[in-house]
Every structure is written in C-alpha cells, then in structure tokens.
Amino acid sequence: MKIIILGAGQVGTSVAHNLASEANDITVIDQNGELLRDLADRLDIRTVQGLASHPGVLAQAGADDADMLIAVTNSDEVNMVACQAAWTLFHTPRKIARVRAPEYLKHPALFSQGALPIDVLISPEQLVTDYIMRLIEHPGALQVLDFAGGRVRLVAVRAFYGGPLVGHEIRDLNEWLKGGEARIAAIYRKGRAIEPQGNTVIEADDEVFFLAAAQNIQAVLKTLRRSEKPFRRLIFAGGGNIGRRLAQALEDNFRVKLIERDSERVESAAESLRNTIVLHGDAADENLLLEENIEETDVFCAVTNDDEANILSAMLAKRLGARKVMALINRAAYVDLVQSDVIDIAISPQHATIGSLLTHVRRGDVVVVHSLRRGAAEAIEAVAHGDRKTSRVVGRAIEDIKLPKGTNIGAIVRGDEVIIAHHDTVIESEDHVILFLMDKRRIHEVERLFAVDITFL
C-alpha cells in the first residue's frame, strides 16, 4: 500500500517503523527536518518537510495516488484539515486522524463525508483509558485485550511459583477450569517465545498469553498465580485527559483519588468529578503519599505527560507500600528498562494506538489487531468468508489448515457463541477467527489464508 503519514513524533515514527517493515510504500511529512533525517537514516522511506495540511506539501508527498493518509501530528486541527484537503483535492480513499480534544469528539457529526471526511478517528487517550480500566478489572493481569466486542479476551499473566498449573502440562488447563475453557496462545520464557504444545510444562515466571471467554478470565488467572483480591482503592497521578477519564469511569465503583500539580486543572477536575477526592500537589512528594495512606492503596497509576515524573512517582509509591503501580511511558527504551523490575506495568500509548491503526492497514477482513511484545508479535481477529472451494480456511478443521510457523488459532466467535479452538474444530463462513502470531513478519501469509478466491466475488 502507498501510505502517507503526517507527523514524525513518537506515534508517527512507531507507525512508520511498523508499516515500512511490511514492504509498504511510506512517505512521512513533518516540519522538523532533523526528525525526518533521523527517520530516513533508519528506515527505507521517503520524507517531505513542510506543514502537513498544505495541499502543495501533500501533492509533493504523492497524495494524488495514495491509498491511505494517517494524520498523527500533535495538532488536532492540522490532522482534520489535512484529511479534508486529501479528500477534496486528491480523493484519497482512506483517511485516519488522531483527534485528542474531547470537545471535538463529543460531536460525531463533525466527522463524516459531508463534513470533515475522516474515515477512522483515533483517540489515544481513550484507548489508553480503556486499556488501564481492563487491567484494574483483572488484578494479576499484565495485559487484557478485547476481541469480538469484548466477548473474548486475550490476557497476559506472569505465572507465579505455587500457582495450581505451574509445573503441569498445558493440556491439564481445562481440567482445572471445571466447565470453562481457555486456550494458551503463547508462552515467553526469559524473553524467548515458546510455541505451546499439549505437553509443554508451565514454569514459574513464564509470561503466558491465553484466550478465553470474558466470563472465564478470572478462573484462568487463578490457575496460573495466587489469587488476588479485587482492587478497591485507586490513586491516579495526573489530572489531564487520561487521569480525568479514568476517575470519571471508575469513581462510582472504586475509592478514587486524583493528584494534580496545576491549580487550574485541580479546580476543573474537582468541578467535573462527583465521587473523586482531588488533591493539589506533587505525586512524587513522599509526605503527600504517606498522608493519603499510600500503603493501603491497591493501584497507583501515573498518567501525566512526563515520562520521568511517572516513573519516579510510581517507583516511590511502590517503595512506600502501594500494592500495584503502573506508569504511562512514551519512550520505548524506558518501557524495557522499568517493566517488571521496578514498576509492575509500563503502559505504552504508542502500542495501543498502533494496534488500532494496523486494523485498517491489514488486507482481508481483519477487524481487530493488537500489537504485542513491543511490536514483535500480533493478535488479530479475522473474518472467514466464502466456502470450501473459494476459501483456504472455511470448511476445514484447524489441523488441516497450513498456518505459518509460530501462528495458532485460539478461539472462534460464531454469532454469540465463543468456541475455544481444538485441532478438530471446523471453521465456518462468517466465523470470527482469533489468531496469535509470535512473529509479526508472517502477517502476509495469514492475510493470504483469509483472502477469498476471485470466483467467490
């Protein structure tokens, strides 16, 4: 595909890196020449320096025959005007824009072909908010990702010494679940991927990815680690878009406190939040955390726009006795440094955003994409179409499908029914098939599997 990316910031760079590695024709536009030179040195892409919403700059980038425009500059207004220009002047078929301001997002009528012609809106703040909320719903999980509208979830968990299934073979899992079912999709042991077989033994400290119907998640978590009490007391550091959205969503069911340094934001948050205690202060102030009983806090989550402040306040909260700490971290290098050693969960907004973007880049009928393991792995939800003559998967048992190495089918959603995949499960037309790819480079082989022969069309 020929794709133009507007913005060479952290999201734009991450998207360019992901898409360039898949043999797409990528052009990146930004006003910062230094950022573009650095990007061109590392990736095989074209760059154009200039304001991304200017028609002349878009034309120079090849908008007249581009398949897709991805607008992820730091300005909502530039992103929106660029999509308008791309459609009006160049008829770019697919336009994706990052829009952050809630004032715009409150009015969906703005984003239509008759108004601002944006096909897909990406709100990183909302994606991150949803991600953190799922983690709070499932104590003990490292990641919780939705498929099929939340009916199936992919959960990452670290197996603890003493967990019922630790030291046992994978095939024993469903016996422990007593009626429920789950499928282990991947295991990472000391950072190395292990393709799960029935006789694979789970070891303490393994990072285990499993798929299950949403109602069975807690039962699976209990087989892999010691049972954790539900979270009740939450502290969020940062009263910006993410912190305030989290407090609003959770304040009716949890005891929520919000810490913010900026006095204007404190006043605004206090007015809009009904059951949240809003505190004016520095989340890295030891005395403030002690006064607010940090040692009795279940989750401390730092979501300011400053990576260093998030890391330091989360480390301090952990040292002072918070049960679990999370930190929002934009720089990928920092995520690798602090995850698991000093901070329980490092949250990367780029990874959440990239998964949402990749959903619209994948060929075939791919409806959900989640980027995993810092972009090395992927979990996707693809829809099977056709019949046995026109499809490589429909009408075939899973054991008869030639899946790429390191790829496995974990679950199938058929109407309202969730089917955990077994070797003899037969895929039917219109099934939503959930796959785990340990090696994202195999994605094109998966896309070809789910492509329909021309005779079907």
Side-chain angles (χ1 to χ4, degrees):
M1 296 178 75
K2 184 171 183 181
I3 301 170
I4 299 174
I5 298 171
L6 313 183
Q10 287 169 331
V11 172
T13 297
S14 298
V15 172
H17 190 275
N18 270 267
L19 298 181
S21 66
E22 298 175 13
N24 292 294
D25 181 359
I26 305 295
T27 303
V28 177
I29 300 175
D30 199 281
Q31 289 183 287
N32 188 322
E34 190 176 334
L35 279 178
L36 293 176
R37 283 189 292 275
D38 180 57
L39 203 52
D41 286 343
R42 291 186 286 126
L43 302 173
D44 182 19
I45 61 170
R46 287 182 64 229
T47 61
V48 174
Q49 186 172 358
L51 186 62
S53 57
H54 282 181
V57 174
L58 290 169
Q60 190 183 342
D64 55 338
D65 64 346
D67 299 300
M68 182 179 292
L69 182 93
I70 301 175
V72 288
T73 74
N74 287 328
S75 166
D76 288 353
E77 290 74 19
V78 168
N79 294 339
M80 293 188 290
V81 171
C83 288
Q84 180 74 71
W87 175 247
T88 304
L89 301 176
F90 307 107
H91 300 293
T92 305
R94 194 79 166 154
K95 300 158 295 298
I96 300 173
R98 176 172 70 173
V99 177
R100 287 173 155 166
E103 279 305 310
Y104 291 128
L105 298 172
K106 283 177 190 172
H107 304 284
L110 282 173
F111 308 103
S112 64
Q113 293 300 94
L116 288 166
I118 297 171
D119 301 297
V120 181
L121 275 174
I122 300 284
S123 170
E125 286 84 357
Q126 190 59 51
L127 291 169
V128 170
T129 300
D130 294 342
Y131 185 90
I132 293 171
M133 284 173 60
R134 288 193 297 268
L135 289 170
I136 289 170
E137 286 172 19
H138 297 289
L142 298 172
Q143 275 186 300
V144 182
L145 304 169
D146 276 356
F147 294 93
R151 281 171 287 178
V152 177
R153 286 184 162 172
L154 176 70
V155 179
V157 62
R158 193 167 302 283
F160 266 44
Y161 182 78
L165 195 62
V166 173
H168 293 268
E169 294 181 351
I170 284 175
R171 61 167 60 97
D172 297 336
L173 172 62
N174 289 322
E175 290 178 25
W176 286 94
L177 293 181
K178 297 173 184 174
E181 266 200 304
R183 170 77 181 247
I184 290 178
I187 297 172
Y188 288 85
R189 185 169 294 159
K190 297 177 181 175
R192 188 173 63 86
I194 297 171
E195 192 168 353
Q197 306 292 334
N199 60 356
T200 304
V201 175
I202 294 176
E203 296 181 5
D205 215 34
D206 281 354
E207 188 175 338
V208 181
F209 285 83
F210 68 85
L211 277 158
Q215 66 268 23
N216 293 333
I217 297 300
Q218 291 299 345
V220 184
L221 285 170
K222 287 176 184 174
T223 69
L224 291 165
R225 54 184 297 117
R226 53 178 172 257
S227 184
E228 290 201 27
K229 290 186 294 185
F231 296 139
R232 294 294 305 148
R233 297 177 179 85
L234 316 175
I235 293 181
F236 296 111
N241 282 335
I242 296 174
R244 197 178 304 189
R245 286 182 195 204
L246 283 164
Q248 274 178 333
L250 298 169
E251 64 179 354
D252 290 338
N253 298 313
F254 297 84
R255 296 178 188 174
V256 181
K257 295 178 181 178
L258 182 72
I259 301 174
E260 171 56 53
R261 294 181 67 169
D262 184 88
S263 55
E264 286 185 17
R265 276 188 175 176
V266 168
E267 285 182 27
S268 174
E271 288 173 8
S272 62
L273 297 169
R274 294 173 293 111
N275 297 322
T276 297
I277 297 172
V278 182
L279 303 164
H280 185 202
D282 182 354
D285 180 342
E286 184 171 347
N287 290 329
L288 174 61
L289 293 180
L290 290 171
E291 283 173 18
E292 297 306 323
N293 302 314
I294 188 66
E295 72 281 0
E296 295 176 7
T297 299
D298 295 312
V299 177
F300 177 92
C301 184
V303 289
T304 76
N305 58 5
D306 184 325
D307 282 0
E308 288 80 1
N310 290 343
I311 292 168
L312 289 172
S313 62
M315 288 172 67
L316 177 62
K318 189 72 174 177
R319 184 171 65 80
L320 294 176
R323 180 173 151 198
K324 179 154 289 187
V325 300
M326 306 179 192
L328 187 70
I329 301 175
N330 285 284
R331 294 192 187 184
Y334 285 5
V335 173
D336 292 340
L337 279 173
V338 303
Q339 173 96 12
S340 78
D341 287 336
V342 287
I343 289 172
D344 296 306
I345 299 176
I347 298 156
S348 167
Q350 280 75 35
H351 287 150
T353 306
I354 286 164
S356 189
L357 288 168
L358 289 176
T359 301
H360 306 286
V361 176
R362 294 283 171 252
R363 293 172 179 82
D365 196 353
V366 174
V367 292
V368 175
V369 176
H370 289 297
S371 182
L372 306 162
R373 302 290 300 178
R374 292 168 285 287
E378 260 183 33
I380 71 170
E381 176 185 341
V383 184
H385 296 296
D387 55 29
R388 190 171 175 83
K389 290 181 181 177
T390 58
S391 167
R392 296 172 183 83
V393 296
V394 173
R396 291 167 174 80
I398 288 172
E399 62 188 356
D400 298 327
I401 298 171
K402 294 180 180 177
L403 291 168
K405 190 176 187 299
T407 301
N408 63 68
I409 294 173
I412 294 165
V413 179
R414 185 172 296 157
D416 291 329
E417 183 185 7
V418 175
I419 302 165
I420 297 302
H422 297 284
H423 67 94
D424 57 351
T425 304
V426 176
I427 294 175
E428 296 180 5
S429 184
E430 305 310 310
D431 280 354
H432 286 237
V433 182
I434 299 157
L435 305 97
F436 192 101
L437 291 77
M438 289 185 180
D439 184 353
K440 189 198 73 165
R441 292 172 296 181
R442 303 273 185 179
I443 185 63
H444 294 313
E445 297 172 52
V446 174
E447 288 173 338
R448 282 196 294 273
L449 263 182
F450 282 83
V452 179
D453 189 88
I454 193 71
T455 57
F456 174 69
L457 300 174

